[in-house]
Amino acid sequence: MWMETNSPEETFALGEQLGNEAEAGEIYCLNGDLGTGKTVFTQGFARGLGIEGPVNSPTFTILQQYEEGRLPLYHFDVYRIGDVEEMEEIGYEDCFYGDGVCLIEWSSLIEEILPKHVIEITIEKNMDKGFDYRKITVEGKK
Ligand code: ADP
Ligand code: MG
């Protein structure tokens, strides 16, 4: 399925809806250019899981973990990763194959370690439709 948003609030709301419906063991892969709204989506998603505190991109740590929601949330941002070995160092397998939900910004950079079944979220701009327009595609959510 895909939908269109025209403001950060709408993208947040879509994230919130998916966060509400998220199930343990799911891995959400977020891709799209810098500044398309992956983090905005993630913030809504976290809210949907019942996480109240601030959620920001874990740019320098790769992984940020939130335990206060309905399910544990593992938020990865692998934009600056050099090698997938860094994922091993932070123990990603416990997150991918654990009881929580993973959300990975820039997952295409770690394709080789992703499980076969993931939920793909792709965010695209289209300047012809306005500066705040985003097309958001969700694939693989049952
Ligand atoms: P990313 O994590 O993909 O690099 P961010 O979520 O950090 O991007 O930033 C997205 C930026 O785009 C924010 O400044 C946000 O206010 C702006 N924006 C404008 N329109 C939208 C929209 N429809 N959805 C999401 N963000 C939007
Ligand atoms: Mg981001």
Side-chain angles (χ1 to χ4, degrees):
M1 75 125 174
W2 60 273
M3 56 175 290
E4 297 165 313
T5 69
N6 286 288
S7 68
E9 290 77 17
E10 284 180 60
T11 297
F12 184 100
L14 174 64
E16 188 171 9
Q17 185 195 324
L18 286 167
N20 248 310
E21 298 166 0
E23 293 172 32
E26 288 179 333
I27 298 179
Y28 291 79
C29 290
L30 263 77
N31 289 289
D33 292 341
L34 204 61
T36 46
K38 297 181 294 299
T39 297
V40 168
F41 176 93
T42 301
Q43 289 165 338
F45 191 91
R47 180 66 56 81
L49 277 172
I51 295 158
E52 297 293 337
V55 171
N56 293 301
S57 243
T59 299
F60 297 103
T61 53
I62 299 182
L63 171 64
Q64 204 74 250
Q65 205 165 312
Y66 302 89
E67 300 285 353
E68 69 265 37
R70 179 170 63 79
L71 295 166
L73 173 64
Y74 305 106
H75 177 204
F76 295 85
D77 185 330
V78 299
Y79 183 60
R80 287 194 167 72
I81 205 162
D83 194 278
V84 290
E85 239 165 67
E86 289 173 50
M87 290 292 284
E88 266 144 45
E89 281 159 27
I90 59 173
Y92 80 92
E93 284 167 308
D94 292 340
C95 307
F96 280 21
Y97 307 103
D99 295 329
V101 177
C102 292
L103 209 152
I104 312 166
E105 295 189 44
W106 297 102
S107 71
S108 60
L109 298 175
I110 56 161
E111 204 84 68
E112 61 207 272
I113 60 165
L114 292 174
K116 202 178 285 167
H117 182 76
V118 296
I119 297 158
E120 301 268 7
I121 311 230
T122 310
I123 311 183
E124 295 162 286
K125 289 190 189 183
N126 181 345
M127 282 307 168
D128 292 342
K129 299 198 174 183
F131 192 68
D132 291 343
Y133 172 89
R134 303 291 188 268
K135 179 178 179 184
I136 305 178
T137 309
V138 180
E139 290 163 293
K141 172 73 182 165
K142 283 179 204 136

